[in-house]
């Protein structure tokens, strides 16, 4: 029996987001993350409303764990001296990074 309901949210077609449960046959979508999560709550509730925990394989009141797939995020700092960059960005420290 699963202790959590695992869901993946990823970009779908035409700017929509898709939410897909890992261990349950539940898939929904929305135009925004908020709409997708609202639709996900409704879809999970409808799927689980008439099933016992043994049938669904999910313990009662299981928390929902959501993994969100996002576009890569990049930070770029102009080629300047450290002092110029700090002054330009009003920062005490800085770093370029990519997630």
């Amino acid at each position: 029996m699963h202790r959590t309901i695992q869901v993946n949210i990823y970009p779908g077609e035409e700017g929509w987001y898709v939410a897909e449960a890992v261990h349950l046959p539940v898939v929904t979508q929305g135009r925004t993350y908020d709409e997708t999560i609202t639709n996900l709550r409704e879809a999970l509730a409808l799927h689980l409303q008439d099933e016992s925990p043994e049938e669904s394989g999910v313990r009662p009141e299981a928390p929902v764990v959501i993994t969100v797939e996002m576009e890569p995020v990049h930070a770029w700092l102009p080629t300047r001296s450290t002092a110029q960059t700090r002054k330009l960005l009003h920062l005490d420290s800085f770093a370029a990074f990519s997630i």
Side-chain angles (χ1 to χ4, degrees), residues 10-94:
Y10 53 90
E13 295 180 8
E14 299 180 17
W16 287 67
Y17 297 97
V18 177
E20 185 173 0
V22 175
H23 301 291
L24 296 173
V26 175
V27 178
T28 190
Q29 63 183 4
R31 293 178 196 262
T32 64
Y33 282 117
D34 289 338
E35 182 180 339
T36 305
I37 290 172
T38 299
N39 293 345
L40 174 63
R41 287 177 193 245
E42 182 180 350
L44 288 170
L46 288 171
H47 178 76
L48 296 172
Q49 74 181 358
D50 294 327
E51 289 191 24
S52 69
E54 293 78 26
E55 290 173 334
S56 67
V58 177
R59 72 178 174 87
E61 304 300 321
V64 177
V65 178
I66 299 174
T67 303
V68 178
E69 179 184 318
M70 300 173 61
E71 294 294 322
V73 177
H74 304 280
W76 174 82
L77 298 176
T79 305
R80 299 175 187 266
S81 72
T82 302
Q84 289 173 327
T85 302
R86 285 183 181 159
K87 184 176 179 182
L88 177 68
L89 299 176
H90 306 288
L91 298 174
D92 291 326
S93 64
F94 67 94

